[in-house]
Amino acid sequence: MRNIQDRHRLWSEHPYFDEETRHELEQITDPREIEDRFYMDLEFGTGGLRGVIAAGTNRMNKYVIRKVTQGLAECVCDHGPEGMKRGVVIAYDSRRYSAEFALEAALVLTKNGVKVYLFDALRPTPELSFAVRQLHALAGIVVTASHNPKAYNGYKVYWDDGGQVPPLKADQILSRIEARENWLGIEPMALEAAKKSGLLEIVGEEIDQTYLARVRELALHPDLDVQKGGDLRIVYTPLHGAGNSLVRRALAELGFGSVTVVPEQELPDPEFTTVPYPNPEIPATFELARKYGLETQADLLLATDPDADRLGVVIRDPQGNYIQLTGNQIGVLLTYYILSQKKALGTLPENATIIKTVASTDLADEVANSFNVRVENVLTGFKFIAEKEKEMEEGDWGTFQFGFEESYGYLAGDFVRDKDGIIASVLLAEAALYYRQLEGLTLLDLLERIYEEFGYYLDDQESLALEGIQGKEEMTRIMDSLRQEEILELNGISIEKVDDYEKRVGKNLITGQTYPLTLPRSNVLRFSFEGGGFVMVRPSGTEPKIKFYFSVKANTLQEAENTLRNLKEEVMHRIAQIRSV
């Protein structure tokens, strides 16, 4: 407790911390609030950090940015003059302090003699990934909290392949951060000095143009897009974020000229005043888009989150109703579209591979297998998809076609190494156009066709917010209890396999045999049902939540809906009992 008090006193009194920070901390009278702000440093995980914007070691602020960036700078300097010259690319989204945090990071890096490419305005996260590769930089930073509530911001680190920083490199950065116990003495370079030295270079439109040219190359039917794209009516909302310019430009350059942008959500707004919070998974984020959809009789509603790495989709059915797709449904539709069209065009390679996460629907596996396409399943988090793509590329044992995760993240192509809402928007629009023009189908019709062929797979999620020290302890208790009890069935459905990624061991409950799991260690439990479907449980790596994933397979939609509802009720009742002990 003394350490907490000492930290609080240092941040409240020392002149290194600005007056705004000291004043904010002086106003806090609740000991629990002080404890929560100072009992730990905001955790730097495998991808970076994320937290509530406020003063304190366990919050997002410029002093935390300085300390983390200093650790990154030292790792870059370990690569000598060549690594320092290759430098770091920095992008940011529309959140509070995003631009200020990005500049703070840039000036700490330049103070260490590291070259920095700083975007001239907000940009999508996937463009940051592209820019790292395009500029042959050693690393990248994007300041964003993605789809989290407005109180949050974050800091994600990328390495030279454009993917999120790999675990070994993340550990090296973390060790540098932890080695510096003193919060004082990290002084950024003066802005004008950084510019004058040539270490700080502002980039923008030249990267946009090159990126958009690569996006256009992903179109499978560019002639159809040019000739008929204007007939597809689209409503798009960037949800006050960074996707506005590039999504619109990408669609327009391919021929999709009938795009209405939701005006109330077009411009950056760190308060996200028009939505509960800016997550395209949530139906409420489409409320305004639906209004403009009805006015324009739009066929398709698209929404990207604040850093435009996620895409949400709503389709108009023949009766004029707007139906929102789940992340898994979007992933399956894009998987089917890409593989079927490439096969028809004769461009599907023999070693074609898709990559998805273990939390995503097994329906995609069935679709891919029907085209004799290999499926690689990886841990939850898009960085694992990017790492597997890199592994395939370097080992020359597969050709990446598409990757997705159920949380609305999708990727095609080889020039970005993270989920990309711009690429997904273009491919989804083209798929909608293709099936309407050539087969007279909506994407909902196509989804029904896929269900009829492979079975009705439905999925859902639940999350429990468990914050602070007590929350972490409760998450541990839940995971320990689920590990210790041998669960043979859920909702009357027999469990075939239990995979424990923390222990890296799986067990077939029918044969009693155990088998090794080759994916990296992670606190994840996956219960796979006989005949298809699963329940998966994992504490979030970026938020104070424990997440539950549900997937069921049935012969009819009604049966699948009933099974899913009952399964969720039983599992969450079981979790409530564990918490009550």
Side-chain angles (χ1 to χ4, degrees), residues 361-375:
T361 179
D362 295 334
L363 177 54
D365 301 63
E366 295 210 37
V367 169
N369 291 337
S370 74
F371 291 101
N372 295 315
V373 168
R374 180 186 182 126
V375 180

Side-chain angles (χ1 to χ4, degrees), residues 178 193 405 571:
E178 290 179 338
E405 60 182 1
V571 170

Side-chain angles (χ1 to χ4, degrees), residues 211-411:
Y211 168 78
L212 288 169
R214 296 300 304 274
V215 172
R216 288 197 300 274
E217 292 172 3
L218 294 176
L220 297 171
H221 295 289
D223 292 342
L224 177 66
D225 298 338
V226 169
Q227 293 164 13
K228 296 292 185 179
D231 294 345
L232 188 77
R233 294 182 295 276
I234 300 171
V235 169
Y236 166 64
T237 171
L239 298 179
H240 305 293
N244 185 34
S245 174
L246 289 190
V247 170
R248 294 167 70 176
R249 286 174 66 178
L251 289 168
E253 288 175 10
L254 275 169
F256 295 95
S258 301
V259 178
T260 300
V261 178
V262 176
E264 296 93 332
Q265 297 172 333
E266 178 181 359
L267 299 178
D269 174 11
E271 296 300 313
F272 304 110
T273 48
T274 64
V275 289
Y277 66 100
N279 184 348
E281 297 180 49
I282 299 169
T285 58
F286 277 98
E287 191 174 318
L288 283 168
R290 287 172 191 269
K291 172 191 161 190
Y292 287 99
L294 289 168
E295 288 178 5
T296 62
Q297 289 298 287
D299 306 291
L300 198 60
L301 314 181
L302 304 176
T304 51
D305 66 341
D307 66 328
D309 61 352
R310 284 176 167 83
L311 174 72
V313 178
V314 173
I315 310 288
R316 183 162 65 98
D317 70 11
Q319 290 73 44
N321 302 311
Y322 284 107
I323 312 297
Q324 183 167 359
L325 301 180
T326 69
N328 277 323
Q329 289 171 332
I330 299 167
V332 166
L333 285 169
L334 287 174
T335 298
Y336 187 90
Y337 176 65
I338 290 167
L339 299 185
S340 64
Q341 295 310 303
K342 286 191 172 185
K343 184 176 181 180
L345 293 165
T347 59
L348 187 65
E350 284 188 12
N351 61 355
T353 305
I354 71 162
I355 309 171
K356 55 180 273 290
T357 66
V358 293
S360 303
T361 179
D362 295 334
L363 177 54
D365 301 63
E366 295 210 37
V367 169
N369 291 337
S370 74
F371 291 101
N372 295 315
V373 168
R374 180 186 182 126
V375 180
E376 288 287 325
N377 283 289
V378 298
L379 291 175
T380 306
F382 216 91
K383 70 188 189 69
F384 294 110
I385 293 175
E387 285 173 13
K388 184 61 69 173
E389 182 187 355
K390 181 182 179 184
E391 184 185 314
M392 279 168 34
E393 211 172 68
E394 292 176 346
D396 196 27
W397 54 264
T399 303
F400 177 70
Q401 302 301 305
F402 183 62
F404 82 94
E405 60 182 1
E406 48 39 74
S407 56
Y408 288 57
Y410 319 96
L411 178 66

Side-chain angles (χ1 to χ4, degrees), residues 71 74-75 102 131 144 173 189 193 203 205 238 248 266 283 330 347 358 370 409 445 458 466 472 500 506 515 536:
E74 290 169 13
C75 283
T144 178
I173 296 169
M189 197 174 194
V203 295
E205 177 59 23
R248 294 167 70 176
E266 178 181 359
I330 299 167
T347 59
V358 293
S370 74
D445 297 328
L458 290 188
L466 300 171
K472 282 194 168 188
D500 187 337
Y515 48 89
M536 199 181 93

Side-chain angles (χ1 to χ4, degrees), residues 16 22 57 118 173 183 189 295 305 322 513 549 575:
Y16 174 76
R22 299 199 305 269
T57 62
L118 177 65
I173 296 169
W183 283 88
M189 197 174 194
E295 288 178 5
D305 66 341
Y322 284 107
Q513 291 182 316
Y549 302 79
I575 298 305

Side-chain angles (χ1 to χ4, degrees), residues 415-430:
F415 54 92
V416 171
R417 287 291 159 87
D418 206 345
K419 52 188 175 286
D420 191 324
I422 297 94
I423 288 174
S425 295
V426 164
L427 288 173
L428 204 288
E430 186 183 77

